[in-house]
Amino acid sequence: MARVASNPVGLHRFRPCFQVAQLQQHARTSLHFRNEHRRFRTVSCQQTPDPTETSTTEKSIVEPGSGNDSSSQATSSSRDSGPPEFPNKNTNKQVALVSTLAALALFLSGRLDFGVSLKDLSVAALPYEEALSNGKPTVVEFYADWCEVCKELAPDVYKVEQQYKGRVNFVMLNVDNTKWEQELDEFGVEGIPHFAFLDKKGNEEGNVVGRLPEKYLLENVDALARGEASIPHARVVGQFSSAEARKVHQVADPRSHG
């Protein structure tokens, strides 16, 4: 007992050595654990990242704010835009009104341009005798009510007639009327429609027979209206109906030009 009490210095010296070694070992263990813990955090995906940690991996996940911002803006804009708006009743009424007006305009244009019949032309035509005596150039059309080509060209004839109305006479002679037998022979009508172009004195300058473009009739009439010595299309023949198929009849009024 006296020996133990006499050596207090040995015990005092041993205790600090043990404490220092224990502290160093504890520090190494703590540092290793901290490094392992930090390494694990850089590899795994953390739900609640520590704001104090600024590793490269964490920056690569958080810093691309432009992509996230644009996607969030696109999402918010798509939400703000909402579903597409459908036309209301006022818009539907306006569309219906425009469609109705367009249909009406188309109908009227069809009536004006393509609703002209041979009967309309014959009623508006000038009598043959009067046309030869008023000192104006004349277009004489030989036609028949059964002639399909004549019916087809009626709108074109009407357009040209309206354009040169008052400057050129337009005469319609029905080949089924026996009254015009002499004129049929005089102008050599073999097919219809047959258009004869006469100058101011009644002399024939040329003729156009059958289905042809409108410009043939228009250019010839224009030459007559300007007093040209000749017409550009003097002898042109297209598809026509044979005059031999005409249905001869005698009209009640011999003065009729139909």
Side-chain angles (χ1 to χ4, degrees):
M1 294 297 294
R3 184 177 298 174
V4 173
S6 64
N7 195 15
V9 177
L11 293 175
H12 178 73
R13 289 178 181 178
F14 178 74
R15 189 178 296 119
C17 295
F18 175 77
Q19 291 177 354
V20 171
Q22 186 176 6
L23 291 173
Q24 290 178 352
Q25 182 65 27
H26 178 70
R28 291 192 188 96
T29 303
S30 177
L31 180 61
H32 178 71
F33 176 77
R34 185 176 298 177
N35 291 337
E36 290 296 324
H37 181 63
R38 182 176 297 177
R39 187 181 301 109
F40 175 76
R41 287 175 61 187
T42 57
V43 174
S44 63
C45 297
Q46 299 180 4
Q47 295 181 353
T48 57
D50 188 359
T52 60
E53 298 293 334
T54 57
S55 62
T56 305
T57 306
E58 290 176 347
K59 287 183 179 181
S60 63
I61 297 174
V62 177
E63 286 184 356
S66 60
N68 294 335
D69 294 341
S70 62
S71 61
S72 62
Q73 291 176 359
T75 304
S76 62
S77 63
S78 62
R79 290 177 180 176
D80 295 338
S81 61
E85 296 182 358
F86 293 96
N88 53 24
K89 293 183 178 180
N90 293 332
T91 304
N92 293 334
K93 290 180 179 180
Q94 293 176 358
V95 172
L97 179 60
V98 172
S99 301
T100 303
L101 293 177
L104 180 61
L106 182 62
F107 173 77
L108 292 178
S109 63
R111 291 292 299 173
L112 292 176
D113 294 340
F114 302 99
V116 179
S117 65
L118 292 174
K119 184 178 181 181
D120 297 331
L121 293 178
S122 63
V123 170
L126 198 66
Y128 181 61
E129 295 80 3
E130 181 179 345
L132 294 179
S133 61
N134 63 8
K136 298 179 182 179
T138 302
V139 176
V140 180
E141 178 184 359
F142 294 89
Y143 75 101
D145 294 332
W146 47 264
C147 173
E148 295 299 329
V149 180
C150 302
K151 297 177 183 179
E152 181 181 340
L153 295 181
D156 294 340
V157 176
Y158 176 79
K159 291 179 183 178
V160 177
E161 178 181 352
Q162 293 300 311
Q163 186 173 349
Y164 292 91
K165 188 175 183 180
R167 302 165 58 189
V168 178
N169 302 319
F170 285 85
V171 177
M172 300 282 293
L173 300 184
N174 193 332
V175 297
D176 289 338
N177 189 342
T178 56
K179 176 185 177 180
W180 310 116
E181 290 290 342
Q182 180 179 351
E183 283 72 20
L184 290 173
D185 295 336
E186 178 181 352
F187 291 99
V189 178
E190 296 180 356
I192 52 175
H194 180 112
F195 298 91
F197 302 92
L198 313 180
D199 61 14
K200 295 179 181 181
K201 298 181 179 180
N203 300 319
E204 184 182 12
E205 295 188 1
N207 59 72
V208 171
V209 180
R211 180 189 293 113
L212 292 168
E214 181 185 351
K215 72 172 187 176
Y216 287 86
L217 177 62
L218 179 61
E219 292 175 357
N220 283 354
V221 174
D222 183 71
L224 289 179
R226 291 186 289 105
E228 297 290 337
S230 62
I231 57 177
H233 310 287
R235 295 289 186 273
V236 184
V237 179
Q239 183 180 0
F240 61 89
S241 299
S242 175
E244 297 297 329
R246 60 196 180 105
K247 304 172 184 178
V248 179
H249 67 278
Q250 181 68 44
V251 295
D253 185 4
R255 294 175 298 176
S256 174
H257 58 275

